[in-house]
Amino acid sequence: MGKEAVIKVDSLVKKYGDLAAVNGVSFTVNRGEVFSFVGPNGAGKTTMVEILVCLRGLTAGNATVLGFNVSDRKGQQQIRKRVGVLPQDFNTFDLLTVKENLSYYKKMYDGGMDVNELIRLVDLEDKAKTLYKNLSGGLKKRLAIAIALVNDPEVVFLDEPTTGLDPKARRDVWDLIEGLRDQQKTIFLTTHYMDEAEVLSDRVVIISYGKIIAEGTPSELILKHGGKTTLIVEEGGTEAYEVLRERFPKARVDNGDVLVPINDKSDLPDAVMTLNSNKTKFAELVVRRPSLEDVFLNLTGKKIVGGELD
Amino acid sequence: MGGALRIWFRSKHTLFWTFAFPILLMLLFGAIFSVSEDPRFDFYVQNQDLINGEPSPASAAFVAMLNETGVLKLKMVDPAANTAEYIDKEGVEMMLLIPEGFHQSCFTQNASIVLKTVPPEVDTSAATVRGVVEQIVEVFNTIATGQNPPQVVTLQQESLVSENYRFIDYFVPGLIGMTLMTTGIFGAIGWNTRNRELGILKKLATTPLSKLEWIIGVVLFELVMCAVSTAVILTVGVLVFDLRVLPSIYSIILIIAGAITFPGIGMVIARFVKETDSADAAANAVTFPMMFLSGSFFPLEMMPEFLREIAKVLPLTYLNNGLRDSMVYGNASSALYNTVIVLVVGIVFIIIGSIITNWREE
């Protein structure tokens, strides 16, 4: 896939009074990729999206979407025609059906996708005539994504699309998003779920307090900042910790589990043998490869729990 | 529009307020204040002109004529009763006294009857009755001087009634005005607050839809709502209360002007009070007083001076008056005056509302 930049952001700053919500951010998004903006609540993700879809003005720097400048009136008109947006916490008309809701938003555009096809795309066919208020949370999100696609956009902005969904519904939405990639659409995703960013994205930007702290593909980031594989001695407790700490001084206890960083080829067999010879009690042994969560932890010293920094 | 109409149709609350509430109000007020189709006013008459214990021919003839109008329900008072005491005791507001010697004095052409009234005359009925009696006196005079046997004259019913409007004629235009106001304000607020909360407005702002298009859409929708409500009210008014309505171009312009004004006011409120519940509360604070103080239900003449001053600055006052003028009285110049005022106010409000509504942050 040839690289064509569909979104270019250069030294973008957005201030509210003295508070900088976005503080000098630069990045590029290429056509056809799934690009994620990950970070805790308040990091500036939604502000970034709003600026790119021309809902808000920027304070300094500049940004273009599909070659059009977000600060330029005419540019804005062009952008609006060509992008699809799923805002955070979006709900649509309670008293309209799935199909009626889609038709409503379609009217705002010239052309766009066929409504029935769209319904099929998001797998809501048997709910086409159901009122929005009678849909489950997961199905509501599916409709919301469909609404964002109603004008067959080149770029789709999804602002925290799985927040508040149960695990099954989240998986559903992930599948949908994967499906969109097949349609050569460019997807700009914001989320505070590290696993989501890791699973879905071609490229990731980690943002905290309005600044980018890392950028790259998930594998690149994990390789650079993820740290090592970890051996988890589940429910090993202080007993396992005492047994292991001499050989593994960097081991630590976390919530009853003992986490042992594995650096060498010999580390893993050594650890297992140590536990075995001491007949240490534990629930299970799990070998965990590093993830984006580890990347974030290593870069900031914090975890994101429920969207907030911990 | 199609989507909006579907939402409206499926919202049980909205249906109630658009249809049921105006009808209920109309039936309620109509029942409370209704004077029957042929208004009959209780009229106390004390005939003291007796000959041998019986009313004299002249006085009897006069009383008979009062009766024949069909407008007065005569209640004869005992000739021997003390007039002043009777008025006091029975709480009577008006009484006709035919004095002793009436018959005689008719022939000498200096007869008089006394119409005793208790001030203040708040009722429009008092004026009506007085009018009737005066008419009778004139007719009686004509006959008496002609020295022909008194003929029973039937007064023209129409001339009396057209000078005197029934409460329902006053009320229905006021009800329409009130409905235009509540529909416009609450409708516009609903579209701007609830939808903002839901994230719909934000989503729409990402589409090519412009703020102007959105506002026009809301106004047009409210216009349709207003037209529907008006039709409902008029239909019930005509069918149930025999309302006499004169269709007029001013009525239509007034309804359009109303459909512009009140959404404009609603948008101004929604701009400052953003949450649905508070916006509704604010809207109530505006609409309820305006409803009553602008003469929708009760004639302004019945209210104290300072309230009438307030009424002069309420747009609904002019809308109500204009509707009354154009629909019931057929008073074209007055209708024009009121129409223009409402139209101007409406345009001002919609412009202000449009400007201050937040669509996108620049």
Side-chain angles (χ1 to χ4, degrees), chain A residues 14 16 46 50 53-57 76 80-81 85 87 89-93 95-97 100 104-105 108-109 131 147-148, chain B residues 1-4 6-8 10-12 191 195 197-209 214 359-362:
Chain A
K14 174 65 183 179
Y16 296 104
T46 300
E50 288 179 352
V53 303
C54 310
L55 274 178
R56 263 184 220 283
Q76 288 169 4
R80 288 192 190 109
K81 286 191 211 171
V85 184
D89 298 327
F90 172 71
N91 275 297
T92 182
F93 300 105
L95 295 171
L96 290 184
T97 65
E100 286 164 352
Y104 181 86
Y105 290 100
M108 309 298 161
Y109 301 95
L131 293 182
I147 290 175
Chain B
M1 181 67 72
R6 282 198 189 91
I7 292 174
W8 168 79
R10 288 176 193 156
S11 165
K12 298 195 181 68
W191 280 102
N195 290 336
E197 279 176 358
L198 288 179
I200 291 177
L201 281 195
K202 194 181 203 188
K203 168 70 189 171
L204 286 176
T206 67
T207 68
L209 186 73
W214 167 254
W359 191 235
R360 300 172 181 117
E361 185 211 316
E362 286 309 320

Side-chain angles (χ1 to χ4, degrees), chain A residues 180-199:
Chain A
L180 288 181
R181 184 205 261 126
D182 298 338
Q183 310 224 329
Q184 280 95 48
K185 295 195 185 300
T186 309
I187 311 222
F188 187 101
L189 177 72
T190 71
T191 180
H192 61 77
Y193 296 114
M194 288 293 167
D195 56 348
E196 184 165 283
E198 192 175 332
V199 163

Side-chain angles (χ1 to χ4, degrees), chain A residues 1-7 27-36 154-158 177-178 180-189 200-205 215-218:
Chain A
M1 161 177 22
K3 267 197 187 178
E4 176 207 338
V6 293
I7 300 179
F27 60 87
T28 321
V29 178
N30 299 315
R31 186 177 286 280
E33 68 180 358
V34 177
F35 183 89
S36 292
E154 294 177 58
V155 184
V156 186
F157 291 85
L158 305 172
I177 296 177
E178 295 272 351
L180 288 181
R181 184 205 261 126
D182 298 338
Q183 310 224 329
Q184 280 95 48
K185 295 195 185 300
T186 309
I187 311 222
F188 187 101
L189 177 72
L200 295 176
S201 324
D202 294 310
R203 281 170 59 233
V204 169
V205 153
E215 184 187 340
T217 70

